[in-house]
Amino acid sequence: SGVWSGGKIPSSSLDKAKIEHAITLQNNQSVYDLSFIGESASLTLNSKKLEVLDKLSAQSNNGFIGDSLAWIELEGENPSTISFKTDGQKLGSLVVNVESDSVYLLSALKIYEQLSTTSGFLNTQENDLKLFADSVKSATYLKGTGKVIGDLSYQRKFHSSNSGWRMISAPVMSQNY
């Protein structure tokens, strides 16, 4: 494991990065093209923001280790795949702002602050995509011209210290955007 080039991923719009082992992000960064190669390839987001300007390539056995404050923004014209390692399947925010057909989610993901489909599609590939809420904050879905293809669920966590009788209801049975 380690950090990339003094804690930075290349940040000019011409840089392409290939991750072949465990890396930790130390600063908010932008990269043009990002690929994960091999099972040990991972990028720990460390509560930072990563902007991918064109293409993200991951497989189901490698990818990000996220946290509830980390942020990923996907842009560009090429289809992308995004995946999270089992011990880090969470993000604060995910922004999909692509001109391509879809961004494909290859693992489960829990979002704690915001999911935004500004443009393009986020295809869940039948993976578990949840917006999460607890006693402190609730995640939101901001829909632009893009959309989520597949299931998107909302999970609310109740703490035992404030347990008791509750009525939980939803205003719709299902919603199409």
Side-chain angles (χ1 to χ4, degrees), residues 3-13 15 17 19 23-34 43-54 56 64 70-75:
V3 295
W4 187 321
S5 181
K8 293 185 177 183
I9 284 185
S11 61
S12 83
S13 63
D15 289 325
I19 295 177
I23 301 289
T24 299
L25 192 61
Q26 297 295 326
N27 302 302
N28 295 338
Q29 293 296 324
S30 295
V31 65
Y32 181 73
D33 184 291
L34 181 61
L43 178 59
T44 301
L45 295 169
N46 203 24
S47 299
K48 304 297 183 219
K49 179 180 179 179
L50 177 67
E51 181 181 30
V52 180
L53 300 173
D54 188 48
L56 173 63
F64 295 103
W71 176 300
I72 295 177
E73 184 167 349
L74 302 173
E75 299 179 6

Side-chain angles (χ1 to χ4, degrees), residues 116-127:
S116 175
T117 51
T118 306
S119 64
F121 304 127
L122 175 61
N123 190 326
T124 66
Q125 302 276 100
E126 298 183 16
N127 287 296

Side-chain angles (χ1 to χ4, degrees), residues 95-162:
V95 177
V96 176
N97 186 15
V98 297
E99 297 175 24
S100 65
D101 182 28
S102 286
V103 171
Y104 297 93
L105 181 63
L106 303 180
S107 64
L109 178 60
K110 196 180 280 188
I111 295 179
Y112 287 77
E113 292 180 17
Q114 174 184 307
L115 169 63
S116 175
T117 51
T118 306
S119 64
F121 304 127
L122 175 61
N123 190 326
T124 66
Q125 302 276 100
E126 298 183 16
N127 287 296
D128 190 20
L129 177 60
K130 287 184 182 173
L131 297 180
F132 185 77
D134 61 15
S135 61
V136 178
K137 59 185 169 186
S138 297
T140 59
Y141 174 46
L142 301 175
K143 184 187 177 308
T145 59
K147 68 178 182 178
V148 173
I149 298 172
D151 292 337
L152 170 64
S153 59
Y154 189 81
Q155 179 181 340
R156 177 83 184 172
K157 182 176 181 179
F158 292 102
H159 300 282
S160 62
S161 62
N162 59 4

Side-chain angles (χ1 to χ4, degrees), residues 16 21 61 92 133 176:
K16 296 182 179 185
H21 58 281
N61 61 351
N176 293 319

